[in-house]
Amino acid sequence: FVAVQNAIDAASSGDLIIINDSNTYFEELLVDGKDYLTLVAADGESPVIDYTHEYGYGALRIQNSSGVRVEGIQFTGGYRGVITIDASDILLANNTMFDCIETSSETVGYGFQSAGASSVLLYRNIVRGNENTGVYIGPNSTSILIENNILEHNSSSEWVYGVRVVDGGYSNIHENVIS
């Protein structure tokens, strides 16, 4: 496939998608309604999903899905690196989420955002240089485990948040480096 989204669109629940290069892909990825989909970088590769030319949900949006696994990929640009919406049993491991922006009209700029998601594990990711918050756990998000990540230089002119939990979000946060 020329675009990663084309591979996601063609995939069925339970499929494995391996990105076999370290290219930069200028696109927004959407996993919607596909359970147990796995999206990983091949060994030794470090692909980048760059959404800097647009300002939508973010470089990767996982919604209405469960059991999705994403590993070894860099996400940048847009308002969010990765967002989970009404998703469950999600694993995000060994990824980098960086340089997401905040605008004057929207308070975003999150490396990762959870909205109504449950049982999400963020493990061994690097979340850095986002203009507002590294990890934002929003309303109705439960059982979000944030473990062994590096969260650095995530700030705006108004505040500095490595991790922000709001409006009834529930998280376990441990063994991270936050600076």
Side-chain angles (χ1 to χ4, degrees):
F1 295 94
V2 175
V4 178
Q5 184 62 51
N6 292 345
I8 293 170
D9 291 344
S12 298
S13 292
D15 280 355
L16 168 65
I17 299 169
I18 300 173
I19 303 175
N20 286 313
D21 57 45
S22 292
N23 292 344
T24 298
Y25 296 88
F26 295 96
E27 58 184 314
E28 177 184 34
L29 303 183
L30 171 62
V31 176
D32 188 1
K34 297 196 181 206
D35 297 333
Y36 303 100
L37 185 71
T38 300
L39 177 63
V40 298
D43 287 343
E45 301 296 343
S46 186
V48 177
I49 307 302
D50 186 336
Y51 197 54
T52 55
H53 303 301
E54 301 292 332
Y55 301 105
Y57 278 97
L60 171 62
R61 177 172 28 141
I62 302 169
Q63 68 183 33
N64 306 313
S65 300
S66 65
V68 174
R69 182 178 135 219
V70 180
E71 291 191 54
I73 302 170
Q74 298 182 63
F75 298 97
T76 188
Y79 297 141
R80 301 159 191 91
V82 177
I83 182 170
T84 56
I85 303 171
D86 298 324
S88 63
D89 301 316
I90 307 300
L91 171 64
L92 298 169
N94 301 305
N95 300 294
T96 302
M97 298 160 225
F98 66 102
D99 295 343
C100 297
I101 64 165
E102 179 177 28
T103 69
S104 59
S105 62
E106 287 197 50
T107 304
V108 287
Y110 310 137
F112 170 80
Q113 179 182 2
S114 175
S118 64
S119 299
V120 176
L121 172 58
L122 275 77
Y123 181 72
R124 298 187 65 192
N125 297 288
I126 298 171
V127 184
R128 65 173 161 76
N130 298 292
E131 286 190 0
N132 186 313
T133 301
V135 174
Y136 180 93
I137 308 304
N140 302 312
S141 294
T142 59
S143 299
I144 310 299
L145 177 57
I146 304 164
E147 182 175 13
N148 290 343
N149 298 283
I150 297 172
L151 310 170
E152 60 187 3
H153 309 295
N154 298 292
S155 64
S156 71
S157 59
E158 296 180 33
W159 40 142
V160 176
Y161 292 117
V163 178
R164 185 174 175 200
V165 181
V166 298
D167 299 330
Y170 174 76
S171 302
N172 288 314
I173 304 165
H174 56 91
E175 299 184 23
N176 297 282
V177 175
I178 301 173
S179 63

